[in-house]
Amino acid sequence: MLPGGALNAVPPKQYAILLDGVSHIVFALPGYTGDVFPKTQVVGMPDVCASATACTEALLNALAELESEYNAKILAIWANAPPVLLTRDKPVRSMEDLACMTLCVTSKGDIPFAEALGASAVV
């Protein structure tokens, strides 16, 4: 057993160290690797599920379909709370507040959504 981060401290790279044989088990975050797991990432889209529990149930119900995205055995899968917009200096109270803002998104697939809201997006 190695302490956390000893083999890799970059969350988006966890899946890669599994595929490269550096580790036999990893804690991968599909939200950080949406380009790799596009089907799994669907539950991260706004209004797909009403809660983390509902999204987790949806993932479990679709597990047979989702396994084709992974070149590994899935030991556990769950969803977090639906996404929210967090800002540091500028409150967002309307769509107009998003104009000229740059939003950090977790995958390239989220960029069109952020741009449709009027913001720029970076992964």
Side-chain angles (χ1 to χ4, degrees), residues 40-91:
T40 304
Q41 186 63 16
V42 168
V43 297
M45 301 297 289
D47 296 326
V48 169
C49 305
S51 67
T53 301
C55 283
T56 298
E57 289 172 359
L59 287 170
L60 292 170
N61 289 334
L63 194 55
E65 175 65 27
L66 297 177
E67 285 180 321
S68 65
E69 287 191 310
Y70 298 81
N71 292 321
K73 173 81 172 143
I74 298 173
L75 300 178
I77 192 166
W78 66 91
N80 290 324
V84 296
L85 180 63
L86 303 172
T87 63
R88 183 180 66 200
D89 298 322
K90 181 181 176 186

Side-chain angles (χ1 to χ4, degrees), residues 10-44:
V10 182
K13 301 291 184 191
Q14 292 293 10
Y15 186 61
I17 69 168
L18 175 75
L19 297 180
D20 291 342
V22 175
S23 180
H24 296 290
I25 188 170
V26 297
F27 181 79
L29 301 170
Y32 283 119
T33 51
D35 296 339
V36 178
F37 308 111
K39 292 178 186 177
T40 304
Q41 186 63 16
V42 168
V43 297

